Amino acid sequence: MEILAVNNLKKIYTTRFGGNQVQALANVSFKVEEGEYVAIMGESGSGKTTLLNILAALDTPTAGQVLLDGRDLAHIREAEKAQFRRDNLGFVFQEFNLLDTFSIQDNIFLPLVLAGMHYREMEERLTPIAKKLGISDLLKKYPYEISGGQKQRVAVARALITHPRLILADEPTGALDSRATDELLRLFASINKEGQTILMVTHSVKAASHAGRVLFIKDGEVFHQIYRGVSTDEQLYQKISDTLTILATGGDRR
């Protein structure tokens, strides 16, 4: 079942001074099936961040459309966008985006509090998630008292607790050491195996090699994509590395 459809997406920015136009996305089209784990890669300036912002309903395209469960994001009224994001999207950021004045539990509860959910239901949702992520003993602590890897697991819990249709992850391993990175990637694989759809933007070949499909963005367009198929993580890692080399040396591959 198709959960996300990106059709002929184009984004042009007009600079504040001089009125010059910059094309961030030229003609991006792809689809994501329910339960897929997709990584998006590309050099800095390729349009990845712009694409992610549009998928998150934080920006609007100049042309084209994004459909989530058949609903055109461009047709969501501005007053409804925050609720739409809260109800349908889970976010995992590079810098965690946790509030130091809130306990770990309250950080995780925040989107549910904003949605007006009763405390008992929030607790019922949190218990199995905290157990799965190994953070049950951290819930009364504060973000400044735990490690980077633990903070990212808390961020994943906050993303999962709303039961989102789609998790958007922006460089989720970027601020982690190698051990915490391995833990997070195992966690993502486990969550995906249970049916959660994940779309991850990353520079990390290692992170992308754990996905089921990798899309490469170049000059605002989909340059190439790789499906895992029967490839191991190591084999997919090599395929990704080879494609990035082609991309960096100006090759043309679709």
Side-chain angles (χ1 to χ4, degrees):
M1 178 181 173
E2 183 181 290
I3 184 172
L4 179 71
V6 178
N7 300 320
N8 307 117
L9 210 61
K10 179 186 290 187
K11 181 64 180 182
I12 299 174
Y13 293 102
T14 301
T15 57
R16 183 177 299 179
F17 303 106
N20 295 323
Q21 291 192 330
V22 177
Q23 184 163 273
L25 297 174
N27 185 29
V28 174
S29 295
F30 64 91
K31 300 183 188 304
V32 176
E33 299 293 318
E34 187 169 16
E36 267 201 289
Y37 181 178
V38 179
I40 296 178
M41 303 193 77
E43 298 175 316
S44 296
S46 62
K48 300 189 310 299
T49 299
T50 298
L51 175 60
L52 192 68
N53 286 339
I54 292 174
L55 297 182
L58 295 169
D59 198 357
T60 54
T62 304
Q65 63 178 182
V66 177
L67 303 175
L68 182 64
D69 284 332
R71 186 175 184 185
D72 191 333
L73 301 194
H75 294 163
I76 301 173
R77 291 188 301 175
E78 198 62 38
E80 298 175 351
K81 283 187 176 180
Q83 180 178 344
F84 174 83
R85 285 190 290 268
R86 190 169 62 239
D87 292 346
N88 294 279
L89 303 173
F91 297 94
V92 180
F93 304 95
Q94 178 176 340
E95 298 298 335
F96 321 126
N97 286 16
L98 302 177
L99 300 175
D100 275 340
T101 54
F102 281 26
S103 69
I104 295 306
Q105 177 174 281
D106 288 343
N107 266 283
I108 297 170
F109 280 165
L110 185 57
L112 301 184
V113 171
L114 294 173
M117 186 175 289
H118 292 297
Y119 186 78
R120 183 179 296 276
E121 186 177 350
M122 291 193 290
E123 281 192 312
E124 289 174 352
R125 285 197 183 193
L126 177 58
T127 299
I129 293 174
K131 183 177 180 181
K132 177 177 179 57
L133 302 189
I135 59 172
S136 298
D137 59 343
L138 304 179
L139 297 177
K140 300 305 180 184
K141 293 182 180 291
Y142 287 81
Y144 55 82
E145 298 179 301
I146 64 178
S147 70
Q150 290 171 327
K151 287 178 183 178
Q152 198 58 297
R153 279 185 277 152
V154 171
V156 173
R158 182 184 56 196
L160 287 173
I161 202 164
T162 61
H163 298 165
R165 294 291 288 143
L166 176 66
I167 283 184
L168 297 175
D170 185 9
E171 299 287 358
T173 63
L176 304 181
D177 60 27
S178 59
R179 180 178 177 182
T181 292
D182 289 342
E183 289 177 353
L184 181 68
L185 294 176
R186 282 196 295 269
L187 180 60
F188 268 22
S190 175
I191 292 167
N192 173 247
K193 191 174 182 180
E194 293 176 355
Q196 178 64 59
T197 310
I198 302 173
L199 186 70
M200 172 176 64
V201 169
T202 183
H203 281 100
S204 168
V205 177
K206 182 176 185 178
S209 68
H210 285 70
R213 177 162 55 116
V214 185
L215 290 172
F216 299 87
I217 305 293
K218 180 180 180 181
D219 299 329
E221 296 189 61
V222 176
F223 171 77
H224 185 56
Q225 62 179 326
I226 297 173
Y227 286 86
R228 170 181 293 278
V230 296
S231 299
T232 63
D233 289 350
E234 293 74 17
Q235 290 169 332
L236 188 56
Y237 185 104
Q238 188 58 55
K239 290 178 182 178
I240 294 168
S241 297
D242 292 344
T243 300
L244 289 174
T245 299
I246 294 170
L247 190 152
T249 54
D252 186 18
R253 183 174 182 177
R254 294 278 177 163

